[in-house]
């Protein structure tokens, strides 16, 4: 019985310095927006400030997750702490969802009981928030697709920017038309922008935590390609999952005919590794194959 796999060093999957800069900018804007919400009495600004608070917490978690992700593997954590990426994203998404639901409920209430809003102050704080959010977006833009942790952080900043646009728009409508419900409408729109995106992020995080097959990888296609290799007569216990979004793994038991020599087995192993790392849309660099002779009284008689 032969079992093998490759070991891979874990690089720097998350640019921590970018997250720290975005955290510093967001924390500063949060303080400014809290002051602005108190001065103006604006729901849109209050919601955006609450959104900023979740972002401050979320980015702090993202920075922590980035630090933990970059720790090397240990005998206790053989893949390192890569999955903190997913846990951080899940926590950020849960916070955002709570803010979105609050904004939606409070916005609907204020449509019927709109308070008077100081439009000039509201406009000022909205512009300050938008400028800061754009700066954070530029900092995080290049790393947004690196993993779920960076995706969550970038998503929060984008949502903040959209919230600031809503604040600015409501300030202009109040100043020009005296339509105080504009503030509530902006709060509801911010909520409607937040909720769907957080649900998508929650689903993506849940898929990794539930060890689902990586998106874009068809295991039946993998099985067909393995079966097409010379001497392979069956494949069972074929599993693929993700430790983190940038670390997919695959394991399989490969049954070969009894004519396979040690040299042929080694060549087959190389072919198997190349097959899963090069042929499919999802490249599996960390694969483990157990090669079993057909006459071996193993599990291949009962397992798919």
């Amino acid at each position: 019985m032969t079992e093998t796999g490759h070991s891979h060093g874990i690089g720097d999957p998350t640019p921590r310095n970018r997250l720290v800069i975005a955290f510093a900018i967001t924390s500063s804007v949060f303080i400014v927006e809290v002051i602005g919400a108190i001065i103006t009495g604006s729901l849109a600004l209050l919601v955006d400030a609450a959104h900023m608070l979740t972002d401050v917490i979320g980015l702090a978690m993202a920075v922590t997750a980035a630090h933990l992700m970059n720790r090397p593997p240990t005998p206790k954590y053989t893949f390192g702490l890569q999955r903190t990426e997913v846990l951080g994203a899940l926590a950020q998404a849960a916070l955002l969802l709570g803010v979105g639901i609050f904004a939606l409920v409070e916005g609907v209430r204020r449509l019927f009981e709109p308070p008077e809003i100081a439009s000039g102050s509201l406009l000022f704080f909205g512009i300050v928030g938008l400028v800061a959010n754009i700066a954070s977006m530029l900092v995080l833009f290049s790393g947004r697709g690196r993993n779920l942790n960076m995706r969550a952080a970038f998503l929060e900043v984008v949502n903040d920017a959209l919230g600031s646009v809503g604040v600015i728009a409501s300030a202009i409508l109040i100043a020009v038309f005296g339509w105080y419900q504009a503030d509530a409408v902006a709060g509801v729109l911010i909520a409607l922008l937040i909720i769907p995106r957080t649900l998508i992020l929650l689903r993506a995080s849940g898929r990794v935590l539930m060890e689902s097959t990586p998106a874009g990888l068809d295991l039946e296609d993998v099985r067909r390609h393995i079966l097409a290799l010379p001497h392979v007569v069956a494949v069972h216990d074929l599993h693929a999952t993700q430790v983190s979004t940038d670390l997919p793994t695959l394991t399989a038991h490969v049954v070969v005919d009894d004519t396979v020599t040690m040299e042929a087995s080694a060549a087959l192993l190389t072919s198997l590794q190349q097959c899963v790392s090069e042929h499919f849309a999802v490249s599996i660099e960390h694969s483990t194959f157990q090669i079993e002779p057909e006459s071996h009284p193993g599990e291949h008689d009962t397992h798919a």
Side-chain angles (χ1 to χ4, degrees), residues 68-294:
L68 294 175
M69 286 169 65
N70 292 326
R71 288 188 175 182
T74 67
K76 186 175 182 180
Y77 298 102
T78 56
F79 282 104
L81 297 174
Q82 292 282 289
R83 191 152 283 184
T84 53
E85 166 218 337
V86 184
L87 296 175
L90 184 66
Q92 291 176 67
L95 283 170
L96 281 173
L97 183 61
V99 170
I101 293 173
F102 165 77
L104 190 59
V105 173
E106 183 66 11
V108 171
R109 187 187 70 81
R110 287 202 182 194
L111 283 173
F112 300 98
E113 300 175 7
E116 291 191 7
I117 306 294
S119 59
S121 299
L122 183 60
L123 180 63
F124 169 77
F125 287 111
I127 292 173
V128 169
L130 180 60
V131 170
N133 288 322
I134 290 173
S136 294
M137 287 170 61
L138 292 174
V139 169
L140 297 175
F141 183 80
S142 64
R144 70 193 187 285
R146 192 76 63 90
N147 52 49
L148 275 180
N149 192 43
M150 286 298 294
R151 178 181 166 189
F154 183 76
L155 177 59
E156 288 183 341
V157 173
V158 170
N159 282 332
D160 276 339
L162 294 172
S164 296
V165 171
V167 169
I168 293 170
S170 65
I172 293 172
L173 289 171
I174 292 171
V176 175
F177 301 106
W179 186 43
Y180 290 105
Q181 284 92 341
D183 179 63
V185 171
V188 170
L189 289 175
I190 294 170
L192 293 176
L193 288 169
I194 292 173
I195 292 174
R197 288 170 170 79
T198 57
L199 292 176
I200 292 171
L201 190 57
L202 283 170
R203 182 174 180 270
S205 302
R207 281 180 57 87
V208 176
L209 292 176
M210 293 300 292
E211 299 193 348
S212 66
T213 301
L217 183 66
D218 184 344
L219 275 191
E220 287 307 310
D221 192 25
V222 174
R223 187 187 300 274
R224 284 192 295 270
H225 276 268
I226 293 176
L227 288 171
L229 293 174
H231 304 293
V232 175
V233 297
V235 179
H236 66 92
D237 287 303
L238 175 60
H239 304 287
T241 185
Q242 293 172 284
V243 176
S244 60
T245 51
D246 54 357
L247 185 54
T249 66
L250 183 143
T251 62
H253 289 219
V254 179
V255 183
V256 298
D257 62 58
D258 292 329
T259 64
V260 174
T261 62
M262 288 295 293
E263 291 77 10
S265 179
L268 174 62
L269 184 58
T270 300
S271 297
L272 288 166
Q273 292 171 341
Q274 289 178 344
C275 177
V276 298
S277 67
E278 298 175 3
H279 184 81
F280 305 102
V282 177
S283 176
I284 309 291
E285 292 294 332
H286 194 104
S287 58
T288 304
F289 295 98
Q290 179 168 304
I291 299 177
E292 303 171 347
E294 192 173 10

